[in-house]
Amino acid sequence: MSVPNCPTCGKPVTRILDLAYGYWQWDDEQSRYEHKTCSSRVDVAPWVHADCMGELRDMHPQNDYSAAG
């Protein structure tokens, strides 16, 4: 089975994060967490690629990708 490629960065999607509402990242300069989002829209995709945080709108981790190539 081939791993699908990310539509944002083109790399294989080996890790998918469920971050529809974004994530928090530590900001050393401000000494606090900063909220980051994975989408520029209100209707966010439920999954993002862990490497680039790009949306995986048409993918689901439980889909059968055995025919991908």
Side-chain angles (χ1 to χ4, degrees), residues 9-66:
C9 70
K11 294 181 182 178
V13 179
T14 57
R15 183 179 296 171
I16 295 175
L17 304 176
D18 185 357
L19 297 176
Y21 299 105
Y23 60 100
W24 295 87
Q25 183 170 315
W26 183 255
D27 185 326
D28 282 329
E29 291 181 17
Q30 297 184 40
S31 295
R32 64 180 177 89
Y33 285 99
E34 182 177 345
H35 185 249
K36 303 286 188 176
T37 59
C38 305
S39 176
S40 60
R41 300 182 303 272
V42 175
D43 63 329
V44 297
W47 320 109
V48 297
H49 184 200
D51 291 350
C52 72
M53 299 307 286
E55 290 183 89
L56 300 172
R57 181 165 296 279
D58 299 324
M59 293 182 68
H60 189 285
Q62 293 178 324
N63 287 356
D64 179 8
Y65 293 100
S66 59

